[in-house]
Amino acid sequence: MKPLLRVEHVTICYNGKPVVRDVSFELQEGEILGIVGESGSGKSTIIKAVMGLLGGAGLVTRGDIYYKGQNVVDMPESGLRKLRGPELGMVFQDCKAALCPIRTVGDQIYESMSEHEKVSRDEIYRRAADVMAKIGLTDSKRVLDSYPFELSGGMNQRVGICTAMMQQPSLLLADEPTSALDVTVQKQVVEELKLMREEYHTAMIVVTHNIGVVEVMADNVLVLQNGEVMDYGPTDRVLHHSENAYTKKLMDSVLHLRREKVRVSSRR
């Protein structure tokens, strides 16, 4: 079976300085890949490269990124714009910051959709209501008529998921989708992303510091340190049975933090 996404020996530089070095991995249809590592390890840079959103200072200087057999590294901006939305969706770390504060949620979803197809506002709102219902936003009219600052962080994150999934992309890229949320809302967002995979058979790359999120979501895990791959493989093996020294150290630090939290809680 041909992979949906294939990243081959990719090196990415910003202003000529390498920040990702010789990274390779594959993603099958419907598969979820978790990318973990310390801050600055290159996690977000990789998914930005897949989307073609590295900006003027960023460049893939070596290797290839194939999506459905097309090399997005060599693709012109016009070709990338056609992929973003219908094929490649993205959920940002802080969806509220990614939205325009002076336009309603409905206006922004409509603008995003109308870039790719001629469809009425009523039809867009109907589709949005369908997706929102699946992720627990039952009052879709109020959400669509609201400005981002009128919604909570969890609501804005759900709006981000809804916007990304409106055109049922084959691949969803999620950049720290739970980091700005409290524990209860984190769990809800994780369940909603898993539901999107079940409903639409969407493959996902989830970038996160939260090992718990990876453990319950991902089929495979990629571990990065300083832009280099330390470990890659099935989630259970990487998280619990890795032979890699850095991965074991990372997992030990997570367990230590969990124990410290339990001690602090017990003292209160």
Side-chain angles (χ1 to χ4, degrees), residues 94-187:
D94 183 352
C95 287
K96 180 179 177 180
L99 292 167
C100 176
I102 59 172
R103 301 183 64 206
T104 66
V105 167
D107 281 344
Q108 294 181 70
I109 290 178
Y110 174 72
E111 181 181 33
S112 173
M113 291 289 290
S114 61
E115 281 286 312
H116 300 282
E117 57 180 303
K118 292 182 178 179
V119 62
S120 71
R121 186 178 291 267
D122 287 345
E123 173 62 15
I124 294 297
Y125 279 27
R126 186 194 65 75
R127 291 191 206 172
D130 287 345
V131 178
M132 286 182 181
K134 287 182 171 66
I135 58 175
L137 293 178
T138 54
D139 192 1
S140 61
K141 186 179 187 307
R142 182 181 72 82
V143 175
L144 291 166
D145 290 341
S146 296
Y147 294 92
F149 64 83
E150 296 179 308
L151 303 175
S152 68
M155 293 278 274
N156 274 296
Q157 210 66 6
R158 287 185 175 92
V159 167
I161 294 171
C162 172
T163 304
M165 291 304 302
M166 282 285 289
Q167 296 177 74
Q168 300 178 23
S170 297
L171 174 58
L172 182 69
L173 307 168
D175 189 4
E176 297 281 5
T178 63
S179 66
L181 308 174
D182 63 46
V183 175
T184 302
V185 181
Q186 281 184 19
K187 183 177 184 297

Side-chain angles (χ1 to χ4, degrees), residues 2-6 27 29 65-72 83 86-88 168-171:
K2 289 185 178 180
L4 177 72
L5 180 74
R6 190 168 80 252
L27 190 71
E29 290 185 11
I65 301 172
Y66 292 99
Y67 172 76
K68 290 186 175 179
Q70 302 178 81
N71 194 344
V72 299
L83 288 181
E87 294 287 341
L88 306 173
Q168 300 178 23
S170 297
L171 174 58

Side-chain angles (χ1 to χ4, degrees), residues 25-39:
F25 63 86
E26 291 186 351
L27 190 71
Q28 300 292 337
E29 290 185 11
E31 179 187 327
I32 298 179
L33 172 70
I35 302 183
V36 300
E38 301 166 75
S39 295

Side-chain angles (χ1 to χ4, degrees), residues 5 8 17 49 74 78 131-132 181 194 217 247:
L5 180 74
E8 293 185 344
K17 181 182 177 181
D74 298 331
S78 58
V131 178
M132 286 182 181
L181 308 174
K194 289 167 67 178
M217 283 191 72
T247 302

